[in-house]
Amino acid sequence: MDARVDDTAIALAVDLDGTLISGDLLWECVFRLVRANPLFALMLPVWLLGGKARFKHEVFSRVSVDPASLGYRPEVLRFLEAEKERGRVLILATASAQDHAGRIAAYLGLFDRVIGSTPDTNLKSAAKRARLVADYGDAGFDYVGNSRDDVAVFEAARRSYVVAPDREARAWSDAHGGAILVDHGQTSLTDVVRMLRVHQWAKNVLIAVPAVLAHTVFEPVTLVHLIGAFFAFSFLASAVYVFNDLFDLSMDRRHPTKCKRPLAAGRIDPATGIKIAFGLMAFSVLITMTLPPLFGIVLALYFVATTAYSLKVKRWLLLDVLTLAGLYTVRIIAGMAAVGAEPSYWLLAFSIFFFLSLALVKRYVELDLAKISERQRLSGRGYRPEDKEVIAQAGMASGFSAIVVLALYLDSPAVYQLYDHPWMIWPICPLVLYLIMRIWILAKRREFNDDPVVFIATDWRSQLMIVFGAALMFAAGAVDFHALGL
């Protein structure tokens, strides 16, 4: 017999953050607020000093949330719908602001009552328990929660349902027989790796380019500095990816592929993501302290630029791709700073044009795959479908400009000083041209949907071209044609 047959008179209270939705409404509002006006980041510590209730009031009062954009747990919604059909009274009991919770309840149309935090009361843990006990009596309600903050409420409830529990909530459930309503298991290493986008670390190989071109890459000190610079850059970049995903949660949930990212899908909660990001930033700073000071300045510049890109610039027409090209080029500048190499303006000019072409192909693919109508903007971007051909033309033109710069460089005095047989490296021009044209052709065929730099670093044909180019450079400086009788 169903143990719930006679429990329709018992109210069912449901937590919001981490339970009804996979995310945390407060953190989402914090990041929306900072994205709208970055200066509010300076006010967050001030508000927090006034207590958690005031902090929530200040944040929630400045942010409007679209209930349709939240990541609802489908299993919980199905459970609540079934309980509603049975005649249960459903209560949304949350530590988030009551007015925001009220709009969510109105959108879902499931709840008979909403209780939440006010400017004077943070309805969390013991405070929520006291409120529910005062209204329904001890063991006079059932409760659905997910975390250690809910344990106090579990203890006062008649029956408890646990959703995607953290360690403390799971331990309580195992000890007291709470029903696991949704169990995604603990956060896995795979989820963390995906959140940090470790595959994007391939971009940071660009740091070694100046040392490779200067023929100093295998010197012991240079090699140690390059390895340190690579990880310092990679850790910081991953931290920025986490913050970027937190800023874009609502947009990512509506995206056909980005909705599977761990934060957007609710596999990792925002608080955990923030802790990991700050930990990576700390490691990056520690590594940077062992490298030349100029590298630290370049890394700080990268952090400021990429944060600005995440907050605002990526929504601005054309400035976004110019910034992306600059961020790739900053990696090369960082490599120069890490090993003390002299700036090469030929290399920087080539980099800007080459990476601008790759940034434009990235936008082209996003537009081509987007299911939007003419004159409708791409979500979170400044582009519309009718911009595709202009983007493609600009991307190809930028790619060919990079080839022109490379060809001029190969006939410069600097090349004649570095290589005994500079004519041997001229085939690098068609090799680079092949890389650029192939990516654009694949984009036109809809056979390319990855980050272009990561694609070049992982595609075997592109790798073959890179190896062939490296071999030509080695031979141009190392082969003694006179000894060979040539």
Side-chain angles (χ1 to χ4, degrees):
M1 179 180 294
D2 190 341
R4 298 176 298 165
V5 165
D6 299 320
D7 65 2
T8 53
I10 302 295
L12 177 63
V14 184
D15 182 38
L16 175 66
D17 301 315
T19 303
L20 181 60
I21 63 175
S22 58
D24 186 300
L25 190 60
L26 176 61
W27 280 116
E28 292 198 28
C29 288
V30 166
F31 280 95
R32 290 187 187 201
L33 181 64
V34 174
R35 185 179 66 189
N37 187 346
L39 293 178
F40 275 117
L42 302 176
M43 293 301 300
L44 296 177
V46 177
W47 295 338
L48 195 56
L49 289 174
K52 195 66 176 288
R54 184 201 169 190
F55 179 80
K56 289 184 176 182
H57 172 70
E58 296 289 353
V59 172
F60 283 130
S61 64
R62 289 173 168 81
V63 179
S64 178
V65 176
D66 178 10
S69 69
L70 301 176
Y72 298 98
R73 294 191 188 274
E75 306 95 332
V76 176
L77 287 178
R78 287 194 294 268
F79 172 72
L80 296 180
E81 289 166 356
E83 294 301 294
K84 186 72 174 177
E85 289 180 3
R86 296 178 61 237
R88 302 268 318 253
V89 172
L90 302 185
I91 307 160
L92 183 57
T94 175
S96 291
Q98 181 151 345
D99 55 346
H100 282 63
R103 285 191 286 272
I104 293 169
Y107 169 75
L108 293 175
L110 289 172
F111 296 97
D112 302 284
R113 184 185 177 197
V114 177
I115 57 175
S117 293
T118 65
D120 301 318
T121 304
N122 180 24
L123 199 75
K124 186 175 184 178
S125 193
K128 185 188 292 186
R129 168 180 172 158
R131 179 71 176 274
L132 290 171
V133 169
D135 292 348
Y136 300 98
D138 198 17
F141 61 93
D142 292 348
Y143 184 69
V144 186
N146 73 297
S147 71
R148 64 180 179 181
D149 293 323
D150 295 310
V151 169
V153 190
F154 290 152
E155 292 173 345
R158 185 196 66 143
R159 178 181 294 129
S160 297
Y161 300 91
V162 187
V163 174
D166 62 16
R167 185 177 304 171
E168 290 82 354
R170 183 181 296 276
W172 187 93
S173 179
D174 292 342
H176 297 86
I180 301 291
L181 191 60
V182 179
D183 191 1
H184 291 161
Q186 298 298 308
T187 300
S188 68
L189 180 60
T190 301
D191 290 328
V192 174
V193 169
R194 288 184 59 203
M195 178 182 70
L196 300 181
R197 300 186 216 176
V198 173
H199 66 284
Q200 298 278 9
W201 289 9
K203 297 177 183 178
N204 299 325
V205 173
L206 293 170
I207 289 172
V209 168
V212 170
L213 295 179
H215 301 173
T216 62
V217 68
F218 294 114
E219 294 178 3
V221 174
T222 298
L223 193 58
V224 170
H225 281 191
L226 287 177
I227 292 172
F230 172 84
F231 282 105
F233 229 95
S234 297
F235 290 159
L236 184 63
S238 286
V240 172
Y241 288 140
V242 173
F243 289 122
N244 179 71
D245 287 352
L246 289 168
F247 284 123
D248 292 345
L249 275 177
S250 58
M251 289 183 291
D252 285 353
R253 291 189 186 116
R254 296 192 295 267
H255 194 276
T257 56
K258 293 180 181 179
C259 64
K260 299 177 183 178
R261 289 176 175 174
L263 286 166
R267 296 287 302 167
I268 298 178
D269 66 274
T272 299
I274 292 169
K275 291 174 185 175
I276 293 173
F278 276 113
L280 287 173
M281 291 174 66
F283 280 121
S284 178
V285 170
L286 289 174
I287 295 172
T288 300
M289 291 172 65
T290 68
L291 298 171
L294 185 58
F295 174 81
I297 295 173
V298 176
L299 191 62
L301 174 65
Y302 169 81
F303 177 72
V304 171
T306 196
T307 301
Y309 175 81
S310 296
L311 287 173
K312 292 289 185 182
V313 177
K314 68 180 178 182
R315 295 167 180 80
W316 295 346
L317 180 70
L318 296 180
L319 288 177
D320 63 330
V321 291
L322 291 170
T323 303
L324 268 182
L327 290 174
Y328 286 127
T329 304
V330 164
R331 290 171 166 86
I332 293 176
I333 297 174
M336 295 177 184
V339 300
E342 289 293 325
S344 169
Y345 297 102
W346 287 108
L347 177 58
L348 297 180
F350 169 81
S351 300
I352 286 292
F353 285 117
F354 181 75
F355 292 121
L356 178 59
S357 181
L358 299 188
L360 287 165
V361 79
K362 187 174 183 178
R363 289 294 177 263
Y364 177 88
V365 170
E366 289 177 352
L367 271 175
D368 198 41
L369 296 179
K371 297 178 181 179
I372 55 177
S373 58
E374 294 288 319
R375 306 192 68 79
Q376 183 180 356
R377 280 193 178 189
L378 186 65
S379 177
R381 300 285 187 258
Y383 300 90
R384 305 190 309 211
E386 55 265 39
D387 300 331
K388 277 200 311 182
E389 288 310 310
V390 175
I391 290 173
Q393 292 169 16
M396 289 295 293
S398 183
F400 277 88
S401 297
I403 301 302
V404 171
V405 172
L406 179 60
L408 292 173
Y409 167 71
L410 294 180
D411 195 41
S412 69
V415 171
Y416 285 91
Q417 291 176 4
L418 285 171
Y419 299 96
D420 295 328
H421 311 287
W423 59 268
M424 290 190 65
I425 59 177
W426 270 93
I428 290 178
C429 288
L431 293 180
V432 176
L433 187 61
Y434 170 84
L435 293 178
I436 293 173
M437 293 188 67
R438 181 165 176 265
I439 282 181
W440 275 102
I441 289 173
L442 292 178
K444 286 281 188 177
R445 291 178 178 177
R446 296 188 176 181
E447 295 177 3
F448 168 79
N449 57 4
D450 198 358
D451 184 288
V453 176
V454 174
F455 174 80
I456 290 174
T458 55
D459 172 61
W460 71 267
R461 292 179 180 86
S462 301
Q463 291 173 345
L464 187 62
M465 295 299 105
I466 293 171
V467 170
F468 188 28
L472 288 174
M473 293 171 62
F474 175 79
V479 176
D480 186 350
F481 285 89
H482 295 291
L484 295 176
L486 298 176

